[in-house]
Amino acid sequence: MMDEHGFNHIQTREDAERHAASKGIALTARDWEEIERREHALRASRKNDLNTAGGFTDRFVSNYLVLLEAIERASEVLFTLIRAVILAFGIPLALILLLIVEQQRVVHGLMLFEGNRSLASFGAWAIVLLNLVLEFTIEYVEVTNGYVPDSGSRFSLRIWFNKFMYFIGATENWTPQILSPANRYRQLLRLVTFTILALALAGSMKDVIAELTGPWYQALANILLNSDLMLITTWIGGLLFAAVAVMSVQGLARYIAVRCVEIIEQMEKKTTINTQPVDTSSVAIQYILSKVAKVEAKQNVSSNGASPFLVRED
């Protein structure tokens, strides 16, 4: 810190206190009260800077710009309100409805090998909720470990070939690719997704499967070759419906998980900014240096034979 007295070695309040002590000057309780009063005044002045800065013209221009900004924001209120309502209530509601529909489709598939409907319903809820929980778990694990997944790219045979060459280790300068810390949960999620789709498809084919006899391979060939258009449409529609339900639940769950992480990070940043104290150490440093200068000036006047009362110490 460099001030008018040339004390360029003083950077903190402790440096100023040591400097005063080296001069034989002890700070009294009154001095500390005065320092605290000045620090409080500095904090208060920071809050009133916008109201006190400049004259009437500056305040008018500032208020006019605020008015223009308010008018511009008001034109966007309707759109932002609709978006907020959809995101805040529409997505959770859609997620709940999809979970119910998905659970009912899985129940039909479980009833193929589970005669107790209550147990099949319980198992369907378990696997559907597991699909939802895994999405939240993957997002939480990857965020807490600082993992950033690779951005997706459009499929091409060249990309597929490069991945295949990496798999067999035939590429030049081969280096291992780092897996996600949530890779275990991702593998489990893929298994759960496949299971839900298989159970949903089997549930829609339950009546036809019960009527077929003979070896399984002949039954599958009979389904593929002898099914009429109505059955094919029913099975394809059931599979697509189950796929939409499963993928939608996963997508909405991931969106909610990402938003939760973003909201928590924003709240932590705002808390850090709001609780960060105002640096008032310069007030104490200036006060202490001013006291040292006044005491030294008083001592110099006394040594020169002048009246010490001509120098007033606040």
Side-chain angles (χ1 to χ4, degrees), residues 163-221:
K163 290 182 178 180
F164 176 76
M165 296 300 290
Y166 168 83
F167 176 75
I168 63 177
T171 58
E172 298 181 358
N173 300 324
W174 184 92
T175 56
Q177 298 177 1
I178 304 300
L179 289 174
S180 165
N183 181 65
R184 179 179 180 181
Y185 303 106
R186 288 187 177 276
Q187 292 178 349
L188 181 57
L189 180 63
R190 285 192 289 268
L191 176 61
V192 171
T193 303
F194 175 79
T195 302
I196 293 176
L197 292 176
L199 290 174
L201 179 61
S204 63
M205 300 174 61
K206 180 177 61 175
D207 295 335
V208 176
I209 293 175
E211 297 176 356
L212 296 176
T213 59
W216 63 271
Y217 54 89
Q218 291 181 0
L220 291 179

Side-chain angles (χ1 to χ4, degrees), residues 110-272:
L110 291 176
M111 289 296 293
L112 291 174
F113 53 86
E114 179 56 55
N116 190 335
R117 185 174 180 84
S118 298
L119 183 58
S121 178
F122 181 81
W125 274 119
I127 194 172
V128 167
L129 292 178
L130 177 61
N131 180 43
L132 179 65
V133 170
L134 285 175
E135 282 290 348
F136 281 91
T137 304
I138 291 171
E139 183 65 23
Y140 174 78
V141 172
E142 290 182 349
V143 170
T144 53
N145 288 274
Y147 176 79
V148 179
D150 296 334
S151 58
S153 55
R154 188 182 298 274
F155 173 80
S156 70
L157 293 177
R158 184 182 183 88
I159 295 177
W160 178 85
F161 178 75
N162 291 334
K163 290 182 178 180
F164 176 76
M165 296 300 290
Y166 168 83
F167 176 75
I168 63 177
T171 58
E172 298 181 358
N173 300 324
W174 184 92
T175 56
Q177 298 177 1
I178 304 300
L179 289 174
S180 165
N183 181 65
R184 179 179 180 181
Y185 303 106
R186 288 187 177 276
Q187 292 178 349
L188 181 57
L189 180 63
R190 285 192 289 268
L191 176 61
V192 171
T193 303
F194 175 79
T195 302
I196 293 176
L197 292 176
L199 290 174
L201 179 61
S204 63
M205 300 174 61
K206 180 177 61 175
D207 295 335
V208 176
I209 293 175
E211 297 176 356
L212 296 176
T213 59
W216 63 271
Y217 54 89
Q218 291 181 0
L220 291 179
N222 188 22
I223 291 175
L224 294 176
L225 299 177
N226 298 327
S227 296
D228 56 16
L229 182 60
M230 184 64 183
L231 290 178
I232 292 294
T233 304
T234 301
W235 297 335
I236 294 178
L239 179 61
L240 292 177
F241 182 79
V244 169
V246 174
M247 300 304 176
S248 299
V249 167
Q250 292 178 351
L252 294 177
R254 181 169 181 80
Y255 172 79
I256 294 176
V258 172
R259 284 295 299 156
C260 288
V261 173
E262 293 177 353
I263 291 172
I264 293 174
E265 291 179 350
Q266 292 175 2
M267 293 175 63
E268 291 177 350
K269 290 180 180 179
K270 290 181 179 179
T271 303
T272 303

Side-chain angles (χ1 to χ4, degrees), residues 43-107:
R43 296 189 187 96
S45 64
R46 295 286 178 86
K47 299 180 180 179
N48 298 327
D49 282 344
L50 294 177
N51 296 330
T52 59
F56 172 79
T57 303
D58 294 334
R59 290 194 297 272
F60 174 79
V61 172
S62 178
N63 294 331
Y64 179 70
L65 294 176
V66 171
L67 177 61
L68 292 179
E69 183 179 0
I71 295 174
E72 182 179 355
R73 294 294 179 86
S75 64
E76 302 174 356
V77 168
L78 179 61
F79 301 103
T80 55
L81 180 61
I82 295 175
R83 177 181 178 274
V85 170
I86 293 176
L87 295 180
F89 302 102
I91 291 179
L93 180 61
L95 182 61
I96 294 174
L97 296 177
L98 287 172
L99 287 176
I100 296 175
V101 172
E102 185 180 348
Q103 187 267 348
Q104 293 296 318
R105 297 304 305 275
V106 175
V107 168

